[in-house]
């Protein structure tokens, strides 16, 4: 697999760990004697990986086992990302590789799913002749019919965006699972319209999933040995559900009997079991409430970690990004986290370097915001113009690539420094760690995470994944804590 990834330049020199969306995941082998085999490769964010689990569940009912080897697949799906241009280029490079494979196996079906399918729709069939099937993120229930259509010799497309679909009743097949941590999708779409972002166009309007189906999924995971769930959404703080309507825009206009907000949902999931850790992502600075922070404080099993993307530290840039908060507002939210939860709460961010018209002084504001917050971690990008977005329509992408890259490297350097500083604070302290498995480097060591989402590595002794242990941290790098179990 490593070879394949290198071939398609996903791990090219300039893409390092800070770029979340460069990640690719591949389905695992599952042999339950089904007639046909599905290979699914997923790009981009955790939401996409989560969607691939829903897709696998739907396809399993249609007579497909999954495979990790595309050479033995009857159907290949690429679940794609459109967030930056490079993500789309990666998928196109991959499709041209599959084109070669298909020359020897013309019966093999190739489908493009997710954001790129939604953005390009049937145009993708014209541009990429190897593709048989194009399916947007709200149309996965239609996959059996679409696959049948291709079996009958036609091309198939469904990119209909729904206002209600949450796949609440579909029990995902866990792919790439460590059996300890799992992701639960709690909402879909986004109503925010940040000017740089393609997501509102590719994933549609915001809707929240039935909280009782979320709690049921968390309970089932716990019963099956899982000990941590991460609740996923583009803007979890804006989660809102009522028994009458789940679409946020409609809900806000309707008279409804009962509304469950994100703080209520967090509490419901935290109560599933004290040994089930609860995490969530992503929080939006404009929506995160003190009520959520107090709920985190109240339950020991809700982890002290918040991914709170700032994007920029300058108020004018934030305004043209349409983020709807100022630098001061953002700082007030960080102060609230420190006041209510404390200094040890992990905070991470996403940052964009070189957005349209950004000056050197405005870039410096991003660095000084970083100095103020001292993030534990950040995903950092340079601006990539996306067709159809508000920014593409309104502003010129006027910062030269070399300047974008230089500003990005300054942001990355600052983050490295802060990650190291934050990790050094943890040395000499005991951390409660949930063991996730062996460390990547050695089977004599285990690794897990502390509440603040930091990776901790320690000698395994007789312990196993899924257990909680107390680890005294004795040294660190910017990325990792090291120590020994103390009980
Ligand atoms: N909903 C999340 C939020 O608002 O924080 C983020 C979702 S987006 C999938 C992940 C990150 O990609 C964003 O936070 C932003 O930093 C980055 N991103 C989105 N559009 C981008 C663009 N056009 N160029 C560069 N980075 C972009
Ligand atoms: Fe994109 Fe903004 Fe929505 Fe995040 S909140 S998905 S950045 S539009």
């Amino acid at each position: 697999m490593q070879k394949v990834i290198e071939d398609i330049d996903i791990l090219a020199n300039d893409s390092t760990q800070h770029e979340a969306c460069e990640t690719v995941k591949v389905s695992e082998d599952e042999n339950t004697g089904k007639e046909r085999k599905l290979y699914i490769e997923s790009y981009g964010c955790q939401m996409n990986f989560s969607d691939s689990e829903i897709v696998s569940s739907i396809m399993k009912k249609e007579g497909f086992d999954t495979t990790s080897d595309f050479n033995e697949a009857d159907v290949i799906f690429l679940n794609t990302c459109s967030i930056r241009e490079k993500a789309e280029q990666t998928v196109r490079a991959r499709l041209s590789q599959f084109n070669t494979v298909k020359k020897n196996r013309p019966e093999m079906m190739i489908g493009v799913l997710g954001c790129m399918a939604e953005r390009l729709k049937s145009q993708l069939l014209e541009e990429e002749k190897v593709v048989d099937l194009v399916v947007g993120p709200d149309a996965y229930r239609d996959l059996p019919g679409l696959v049948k259509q291709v079996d009958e010799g036609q091309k198939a497309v469904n990119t209909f965006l729904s206002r209600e679909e949450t796949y609440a009743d579909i029990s995902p097949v866990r792919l790439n699972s460590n059996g300890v941590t799992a992701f639960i999708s709690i909402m879909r779409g986004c109503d925010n319209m940040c000017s740089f972002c393609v997501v509102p166009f590719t994933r549609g309007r915001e809707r929240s999933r039935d909280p009782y189906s979320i709690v049921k999924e968390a309970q089932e995971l716990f019963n099956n040995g899982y000990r941590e769930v991460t609740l996923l959404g583009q803007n979890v703080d804006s989660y809102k559900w009522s028994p009458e309507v789940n679409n946020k825009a409609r809900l806000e206009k309707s008279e409804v009997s009962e509304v469950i907000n994100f703080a209520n949902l967090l509490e419901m999931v935290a109560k599933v079991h004290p040994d089930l850790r609860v995490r969530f992502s992503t929080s939006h600075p404009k929506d995160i409430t003190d009520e959520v922070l107090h709920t985190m404080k109240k339950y020991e099993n809700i982890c002290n970690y918040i991914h709170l993307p700032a994007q920029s530290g300058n108020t004018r840039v934030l305004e043209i990004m349409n983020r709807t908060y100022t630098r001061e507002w953002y700082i007030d939210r960080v102060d609230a986290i420190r006041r209510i939860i404390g200094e040890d709460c992990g905070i991470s961010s996403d940052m964009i370097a070189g957005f349209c018209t950004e000056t050197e002084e405005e870039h410096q504001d991003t660095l000084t915001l970083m100095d103020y917050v001292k993030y534990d971690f950040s995903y950092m990008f340079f601006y990539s113009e996306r067709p159809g977005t508000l920014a593409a329509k309104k502003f010129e992408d006027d910062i030269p690539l070399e300047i974008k890259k230089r500003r990005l490297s300054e942001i990355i350097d600052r983050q490295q420094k802060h990650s190291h500083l934050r990790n050094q604070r943890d040395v000499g302290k005991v951390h409660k760690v949930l063991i996730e498995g062996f460390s990547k480097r050695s089977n004599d060591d285990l690794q897990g995470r502390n509440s603040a989402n930091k990776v901790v590595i320690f000698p395994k002794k007789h312990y196993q994944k899924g257990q909680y242990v107390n680890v005294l941290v004795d040294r660190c790098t910017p990325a990792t804590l090291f120590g020994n179990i103390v009980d």
Side-chain angles (χ1 to χ4, degrees):
M1 184 57 209
Q2 188 68 13
K3 176 76 176 70
V4 173
I5 294 173
E6 279 164 9
D7 283 350
I8 56 175
D9 196 29
I10 292 172
L11 296 182
N13 291 339
D14 65 339
S15 67
T16 45
Q17 188 210 355
H18 60 268
E19 289 186 341
C21 306
E22 304 303 321
T23 317
V24 58
K25 286 194 181 173
V26 166
S27 49
E28 281 170 353
D29 296 312
E30 198 197 25
N31 292 309
T32 62
K34 297 229 152 59
E35 219 169 283
R36 299 209 275 176
K37 290 225 180 273
L38 166 71
Y39 170 88
I40 177 160
E41 206 168 88
S42 319
Y43 295 80
C45 64
Q46 198 53 59
M47 292 291 285
N48 250 12
F49 303 143
S50 203
D51 276 4
S52 290
E53 297 184 336
I54 288 167
V55 167
S56 301
S57 173
I58 292 169
M59 294 292 282
K60 198 172 171 180
K61 290 208 180 77
E62 285 306 299
F64 284 86
D65 272 333
T66 50
T67 171
S68 62
D69 179 2
F70 63 78
N71 287 305
E72 62 171 41
D74 301 285
V75 172
I76 291 179
F77 283 163
L78 298 186
N79 192 357
T80 59
C81 170
S82 284
I83 203 84
R84 279 170 294 279
E85 195 183 354
K86 191 166 171 224
E88 290 199 1
Q89 286 167 350
T90 303
V91 168
R92 288 192 191 264
R94 193 66 172 139
L95 285 172
S96 78
Q97 282 189 331
F98 286 136
N99 201 9
T100 319
V101 180
K102 201 169 171 169
K103 285 204 175 105
N104 298 325
R105 295 185 51 213
E107 73 289 354
M108 191 172 79
M109 186 185 306
I110 297 185
V112 175
L113 316 184
C115 290
M116 204 170 156
E118 191 61 52
R119 197 177 82 72
L120 297 166
K121 303 188 170 58
S122 50
Q123 187 189 330
L124 199 55
L125 291 180
E126 284 146 38
E127 290 173 3
E128 302 287 349
K129 298 282 181 248
V130 69
V131 176
D132 302 299
L133 184 116
V134 175
V135 191
D138 285 347
Y140 298 145
R141 281 183 204 271
D142 198 21
L143 274 168
L146 297 167
V147 167
K148 190 158 171 271
Q149 218 174 303
V150 178
D151 280 339
E152 287 164 359
Q154 300 163 49
K155 299 258 176 180
V157 182
N158 187 344
T159 53
F160 173 74
L161 279 177
S162 157
R163 283 172 182 256
E164 285 91 22
E165 179 63 271
T166 58
Y167 301 109
D169 56 316
I170 296 181
S171 198
V173 169
R174 302 287 160 191
L175 300 169
N176 311 104
S177 170
N178 59 12
V180 179
T181 60
F183 292 87
I184 302 183
S185 175
I186 64 163
M187 58 206 292
R188 298 182 73 81
C190 182
D191 280 355
N192 277 338
M193 299 303 278
C194 298
S195 64
F196 51 79
C197 186
V198 79
V199 168
F201 304 96
T202 59
R203 303 191 74 97
R205 300 307 298 264
E206 188 177 307
R207 57 229 112 109
S208 296
R209 176 177 167 191
D210 179 339
Y212 304 102
S213 77
I214 296 169
V215 169
K216 183 167 167 269
E217 192 173 328
Q219 183 69 60
E220 281 167 7
L221 284 164
F222 184 78
N223 296 347
N224 288 330
Y226 286 80
R227 290 294 173 264
E228 182 182 297
V229 292
T230 302
L231 309 180
L232 283 182
Q234 292 297 352
N235 178 1
V236 290
D237 301 289
S238 116
Y239 177 92
K240 252 193 195 131
W241 180 89
S242 81
E244 288 88 5
V245 50
N246 74 350
N247 174 284
K248 193 182 164 214
R250 287 184 185 162
L251 193 151
E252 284 175 347
K253 284 192 212 126
S254 324
E255 297 254 325
V256 289
S257 56
E258 168 200 0
V259 174
I260 293 185
N261 68 15
F262 184 57
N264 307 143
L265 176 72
L266 256 186
E267 182 151 29
M268 288 165 74
V269 180
K271 282 181 173 165
V272 165
H273 197 284
D275 283 342
L276 183 71
R277 272 186 169 178
V278 186
R279 298 188 187 276
F280 53 88
S281 188
T282 297
S283 297
H284 196 296
K286 88 172 152 62
D287 290 316
I288 189 167
T289 59
D290 286 2
E291 188 192 3
V292 164
L293 302 178
H294 285 297
T295 308
M296 291 174 73
K297 174 85 178 163
K298 185 169 162 197
Y299 291 91
E300 197 266 339
N301 58 327
I302 303 180
C303 290
N304 289 337
Y305 167 64
I306 300 177
H307 184 53
L308 192 70
Q311 315 295 358
S312 165
N314 176 270
T315 296
R316 187 194 73 87
V317 175
L318 288 169
E319 195 182 335
I320 61 170
M321 284 178 163
N322 202 24
R323 288 290 287 180
T324 68
Y325 53 84
T326 60
R327 176 186 174 98
E328 290 68 33
W329 174 279
Y330 186 91
I331 287 177
D332 172 75
R333 294 294 75 211
V334 171
D335 290 347
I337 294 169
R338 295 279 175 243
R339 187 175 65 245
I340 297 168
I341 306 178
E343 279 301 315
D344 288 338
C345 183
I347 305 181
S348 58
S349 184
D350 294 348
M351 291 296 187
I352 299 179
F355 186 62
C356 316
T357 72
E358 183 190 65
T359 65
E360 276 311 316
E361 292 71 35
E362 290 166 340
H363 163 62
Q364 288 300 323
D365 284 346
T366 296
L367 298 175
T368 59
L369 179 72
M370 295 175 78
D371 289 339
Y372 182 85
V373 182
K374 298 206 173 50
Y375 295 106
D376 295 86
F377 181 80
S378 288
Y379 295 106
M380 298 158 284
F381 317 96
F382 61 74
Y383 174 58
S384 162
E385 185 178 83
R386 307 308 295 130
T389 55
L390 296 183
K393 286 183 193 151
K394 272 171 78 174
F395 312 115
E396 193 190 336
D397 180 13
D398 59 350
I399 309 297
L401 186 60
E402 308 82 75
I403 295 185
K404 285 182 181 172
K405 285 190 170 172
R406 194 255 302 147
R407 289 183 189 168
L408 176 62
S409 77
E410 286 172 12
I411 291 174
I412 293 170
D413 288 349
R414 195 64 59 99
Q415 183 53 55
Q416 278 284 103
K417 197 177 114 197
H418 292 155
S419 295
H420 207 180
L421 274 176
R422 289 285 297 172
N423 280 359
Q424 281 162 343
R425 285 183 74 253
D426 292 331
V427 175
K429 294 182 188 156
V430 173
H431 299 254
K432 183 174 173 183
V433 175
L434 172 61
I435 304 174
E436 292 176 16
F438 290 113
S439 99
K440 289 196 184 80
R441 297 235 167 96
S442 159
N443 281 357
D444 294 332
D445 291 334
L446 293 170
Q447 82 169 45
R449 279 165 207 270
N450 68 2
S451 177
N453 206 32
K454 293 185 185 175
V455 174
V456 188
I457 294 181
F458 45 92
K460 81 171 191 298
K461 295 189 183 168
H462 57 277
Y463 292 93
Q464 288 170 8
K465 70 176 181 178
Q467 290 181 307
Y468 287 100
V469 285
N470 290 319
V471 177
L472 174 62
V473 169
D474 53 28
R475 70 188 172 90
C476 71
T477 65
T480 314
L481 304 176
F482 298 88
N484 284 286
I485 296 173
V486 287
D487 52 9

